[in-house]
Amino acid sequence: MLAVGMAQGTAVAKPASPAAGTGARAAAADDPYTQAFLTQYGKIKASANGYFSPEGLPYHSVETLMVEAPDHGHQTTSEAVSFWMWLEAAYGRVTGNWAPFNAAWAVAEKTIIPQHADQSTAGSYNPSAPATYAPEHPLPSGYPSALDGTVKVGTDPLATELAASYGTMDVYGMHWLMDLDNVYGYGNKPGTGGESGPGAGASFINSYQRGAQESVWETVPQPTTDLFKYGGPNGYLDLFVDDASYAKQWKYTNAPDADARAVQAAYWAYRWASAQGKAGEVAASVAKAAKMGDYLRYAMFDKYFKRVGDCTDPASCPAATGRDSQHYLLSWYYAWGGAAAGSGGGWAWRIGDGASHQGYQNPLSAWALSNVPALTPKSATARGDWSKSLTRQLEFLTWLQSSEGAFAGGCTNSWEGRYSKPPAGTPTFYGMAYDWQPVYHDPPSNNWFGFQAWGMERLAAYYHETGNATAKAVLSKWVAWASSETTVGADGSFRFPSTLNWTGKPDTWNPASPGGNAGLHVTVVDYANDVGVGAAYVKTLTYYAAKSGDEDAAALAKALLDAMALNATDKGISVPETRRDYNRFNDEVYIPAGWSGTMPNGDSIAPGSTFIDIRSWYKDDPDWPKVQAYLDGGAAPTFTYHRFWAQAALALAFAIYAELLVEGGGGPGGDTEAPTAPAGLTVTATTSSSVSLSWSAATDNVAVTGYDVYRNGVLAGNATTRTFTDTNLAAATGYSYAVAARDASGNTSALSAAVTATTKSGGSTGTGAVKVRYRNSDSSPGDNQIRLGLQVLNTGSAPIDLSTVKVRYWFTSDGGPSTFSTYCDYAALGSSTITHSVSAVSSPKTGADRYLEVGFTGGAGTLAGGASTGEIQLRLNKSNWSNFNESDDYSRATNTAYADASKIGAYVAGTLAWGIEP
């Protein structure tokens, strides 16, 4: 088996210099990681596995019942298309066959990049009047938003230059969302500029137009070309914009991170094909990427081309006439639209966006567009724009890096989307306000670790290609933080951060003297094993290790890649995921009073309609019974999804690892020199059932890839870092330990000097040093359940046996029976390791006559110094399901993000170690 072969000694080779072994020929498929790439590629391209639509576009996922950003698995995004382009570029490197890469670009031009018929009146665009201002609102209930022609907008400095360069006023960029099975039934087919209704064929659609709080569960999808055939009398337009009258029209939205990734893919294709002497085979596709990069500059401009910086009032903020509206970052979107053909009157509009997120930046593409001749756009100012953008992006990431190393959200030139004044004390970046959750709030946009991994993968690729010192400094800090929060078990289990929590804020940016952001902090709320995010993480570690020579990063990349490979399915690599958010199928979709309309399948749209009401076709999905059972009170459904972007990212992780850390340093088997023996083996902590060890790094002529830990002469386990905790030991017992190092070819060092350790007696580790963090998961204090999230953190340096820890949350029973039911809906450590019960307070106090006690089984193990249990989601109810009044409960607070909770007690071995009892 592939995974076994990798685990048995085909490990990381010496990090390659960028000049050596980077694609000078089609890669030999004689190492297991290249073979893993080809196996994964074959699964993705196998027609029986169902990754591609009849038009040849990748679905968002193989499975159809899928709600996240797209609200159906057989939609696609420009993100998926960009990953497809990159996948085919890697295939070209490995095989020398560039036809699939060129085919991906050809399909994109026929489908997801709107053709002239799809933007037929683009020639009516007036750069001096790019769009009419409409303020954004925080909630969907604030819409439709009234157009306001009294607010001055700036001048578009790009349109004339782009038209001169390409001979057209059409925009060349990918629209972000398509309905490939036409489940909605709009029939807004590429190349037609119309609506053909239900039936086969891909269809342009759009969603997300009603403020930062609008989640996918609250959207009203609509066709990009709205001819008033569906929806209400004005189609769907009057759900979003309040105007005196409405015209049939087309409109498209671009996701800049996807177009930038397409440019990135073209860069790799050009570099690899050039090394093979085949640059001419990809030249036409690379030129298309350069053109896309030309138009992508719209993402660098304020939404209404107003002045960037200190823009805190829509009336007084100046309308820019030149580059004063350019912030040079990659913002969340740009968009364009115009009158439908034949609707009477010619007009068109374009907007940028003033909100920028750290996870959208792409220094590699900015560098390629400003430094690689084959990718230099035609427009006269494009190269200079991208050169300045590169510098600005590096500054942006430096500004947002927390004390720990992770990156906070971003900034905006238009607070709340309507040029409001930010709260006093808000830091700024070139006059733009810091926003910890730019663009969307449900869930907060920067709480997902995936945006960290995606962004750092691009930065690491840029560092690998250029050796930029700023990029290295930022990456080194991030890699150290992420690595410290990552575990890979000897059994192939793995986990890394999933949800993050932010406190504090960065210093206001000073280019001459950047601040240290001492007050900006991140904590990990919970952990996950998402293979798509893991693939981006591996790519980051691989690029970074290959350039810097960081052996720990290289070893962690290998360990994660090998662990993920153990989760192979017949369609790719995937892990099961439980979708508790699918209780939101019954969420209400806001529809203004008095508005009514009809979806193409006849579903009614009216005030009170829910997500599923306007998507009744979901009830015909073969997986719907699992969701319905959950909505009826059963367990949350579990799915094993195969998202195209994630599967492509995994294939790419194998290929990039093979290129940079196997091929570049010589394949396995050529090295016969063993590493040096590890030195400095030390016992760092003991409990009644565990011993923790650390040691200094061994060295090797190629690379050290792992360590073997021996207890009393018998192998106790393996480590990819220089620490190890041996668990499940007997109390009050002495043990002897030694460590050996391994290299890429399986050579093993001599054993280190031995150390001895004696476990503590009994089951207690003393009072310990812990704290409890809490978040309120229940917005209604008067319903029949109490819902909360908890985390336990070890604030000391020694590990704590979790079986000795108890947490108490005090509340009032508010009458009713004396019996309660308690539940653990989720725990990062596993729900089966959590105990929970309700007890009466011996002497009731104000706000407390009961307490929920949460504990841990022996299977929870130990909690290392500085570590967190991750999230524990809990709820309880009275046996007769009568209501609570939580507003006066002692331990309850209103914070919905994790924060220290002094009114929740934590006890270690029966002694209060945290909190204040009532």
Side-chain angles (χ1 to χ4, degrees), residues 109 113-114 119 122 125 156 158-174 254-256 259-260 263 287-301 305 326 329-331 333-336 350-353 369 375-379 381-383 385-386:
E109 283 197 315
I113 299 173
Q119 48 180 321
Y125 178 62
D156 173 359
L158 296 183
T160 301
E161 180 181 77
L162 289 165
S165 298
Y166 300 102
T168 179
M169 287 293 279
D170 293 352
V171 170
Y172 190 83
M174 291 188 281
N254 179 274
D259 282 33
V263 172
K288 294 173 185 177
K291 179 179 179 181
M292 183 174 284
D294 218 343
Y295 287 85
L296 184 55
R297 292 183 293 156
Y298 273 114
M300 300 180 186
F301 287 83
F305 299 94
Q326 192 169 8
L329 298 171
L330 287 180
S331 58
Y333 64 84
Y334 73 81
W336 71 108
R350 297 180 192 179
I351 57 174
D353 185 25
L369 289 164
L375 275 164
T376 301
K378 288 183 179 181
S379 295
T381 63
R383 186 173 182 273
D385 281 347
W386 282 111

Side-chain angles (χ1 to χ4, degrees), residues 294-331:
D294 218 343
Y295 287 85
L296 184 55
R297 292 183 293 156
Y298 273 114
M300 300 180 186
F301 287 83
D302 175 74
K303 183 173 182 177
Y304 294 104
F305 299 94
K306 281 181 170 287
R307 183 191 66 191
V308 167
D310 304 314
C311 195
T312 57
D313 176 75
S316 62
C317 180
T321 56
R323 299 298 175 132
D324 288 348
S325 61
Q326 192 169 8
H327 50 70
Y328 294 97
L329 298 171
L330 287 180
S331 58

Side-chain angles (χ1 to χ4, degrees), residues 395-420:
E395 289 180 304
F396 188 54
L397 294 173
T398 302
W399 175 59
L400 290 171
Q401 191 161 34
S402 65
S403 297
E404 293 76 19
F407 295 90
C411 67
T412 179
N413 194 54
S414 179
W415 190 257
E416 295 183 326
R418 53 182 186 268
Y419 302 107
S420 299

Side-chain angles (χ1 to χ4, degrees), residues 770 804-808 810 905-914 917:
V770 299
T804 69
V805 177
K806 302 289 185 184
V807 176
R808 290 182 180 178
W810 288 281
Y907 302 79
V908 180
T911 300
L912 183 67
W914 165 267
E917 296 176 332

Side-chain angles (χ1 to χ4, degrees), residues 84 103 125 144 159 176 187 204 225 261 291 311 333 394 460 463 472 523 585 688 708 739 775 824 859:
W84 178 33
Y125 178 62
W176 85 279
F204 284 120
T225 301
R261 190 183 294 108
K291 179 179 179 181
C311 195
Y333 64 84
L394 294 174
Y463 165 62
K472 181 181 182 181
T523 55
F585 269 93
S688 61
D708 300 323
V739 180
R775 71 177 177 90
C824 178

Side-chain angles (χ1 to χ4, degrees), residues 331-677:
S331 58
W332 199 259
Y333 64 84
Y334 73 81
W336 71 108
S343 62
W347 51 270
W349 55 267
R350 297 180 192 179
I351 57 174
D353 185 25
S356 296
H357 192 289
Q358 63 84 15
Y360 264 36
Q361 307 312 302
N362 195 322
L364 178 69
S365 291
W367 172 78
L369 289 164
S370 56
N371 286 275
V372 178
L375 275 164
T376 301
K378 288 183 179 181
S379 295
T381 63
R383 186 173 182 273
D385 281 347
W386 282 111
S387 179
K388 189 168 182 176
S389 177
L390 172 61
T391 301
R392 190 63 54 89
Q393 289 183 45
L394 294 174
E395 289 180 304
F396 188 54
L397 294 173
T398 302
W399 175 59
L400 290 171
Q401 191 161 34
S402 65
S403 297
E404 293 76 19
F407 295 90
C411 67
T412 179
N413 194 54
S414 179
W415 190 257
E416 295 183 326
R418 53 182 186 268
Y419 302 107
S420 299
K421 188 173 184 179
T426 299
T428 58
F429 179 78
Y430 287 100
M432 295 180 287
Y434 168 67
D435 189 348
W436 73 275
Q437 52 175 354
V439 186
Y440 67 84
H441 300 168
D442 183 11
S445 66
N446 200 49
N447 282 15
W448 181 50
F449 178 72
F451 274 135
Q452 302 282 321
W454 274 1
M456 288 305 94
E457 170 260 300
R458 300 165 190 147
L459 182 68
Y462 166 68
Y463 165 62
H464 180 268
E465 295 301 280
T466 67
N468 180 271
T470 299
K472 181 181 182 181
V474 168
L475 276 164
S476 297
K477 189 174 181 180
W478 186 89
V479 167
W481 166 76
S483 299
S484 73
E485 297 284 357
T486 302
T487 57
V488 183
D491 60 352
S493 61
F494 61 97
R495 71 173 201 168
F496 38 75
S498 178
T499 307
L500 307 178
N501 186 64
W502 299 92
T503 56
K505 51 193 176 183
D507 301 321
T508 287
W509 179 248
N510 180 352
S513 181
N517 287 349
L520 177 62
H521 297 286
V522 64
T523 55
V524 179
V525 175
D526 55 34
Y527 298 81
N529 58 351
D530 182 305
V531 292
V533 174
Y537 187 9
V538 166
K539 287 184 283 180
T540 302
L541 295 167
T542 301
Y543 285 128
Y544 174 71
K547 185 66 175 179
S548 69
D550 187 318
E551 293 180 354
D552 286 343
L556 182 56
K558 174 183 169 17
L560 282 169
L561 201 53
D562 290 356
M564 288 190 291
L566 294 173
N567 294 279
T569 72
D570 57 351
K571 291 181 172 64
I573 294 173
S574 188
V575 297
E577 54 191 271
T578 301
R579 295 301 299 261
R580 294 179 180 84
D581 61 322
Y582 280 4
N583 60 2
R584 299 189 68 177
F585 269 93
N586 285 328
D587 273 16
E588 182 176 342
V589 174
Y590 174 74
I591 303 296
W595 198 99
S596 65
T598 307
M599 300 294 285
N601 71 339
D603 287 347
S604 174
I605 319 167
S609 292
T610 65
F611 179 91
I612 190 64
D613 285 341
I614 63 173
R615 300 166 174 87
S616 64
W617 38 262
Y618 248 134
K619 295 182 179 181
D620 297 325
D621 192 282
D623 282 329
W624 179 253
K626 295 165 63 174
V627 177
Q628 186 63 58
Y630 180 40
L631 297 176
D632 291 340
T638 297
F639 294 86
T640 301
Y641 283 128
H642 295 84
R643 298 170 178 86
F644 180 88
W645 74 264
Q647 299 306 311
L650 284 159
L652 289 162
F654 286 126
I656 292 165
Y657 184 87
E659 177 194 10
L660 301 182
L661 295 180
V662 177
E663 294 170 26
D671 173 28
T672 59
E673 184 176 333
T676 62

Side-chain angles (χ1 to χ4, degrees), residues 804-822:
T804 69
V805 177
K806 302 289 185 184
V807 176
R808 290 182 180 178
Y809 175 94
W810 288 281
F811 65 96
T812 53
S813 58
D814 302 308
S818 60
T819 55
F820 297 79
S821 297
T822 61

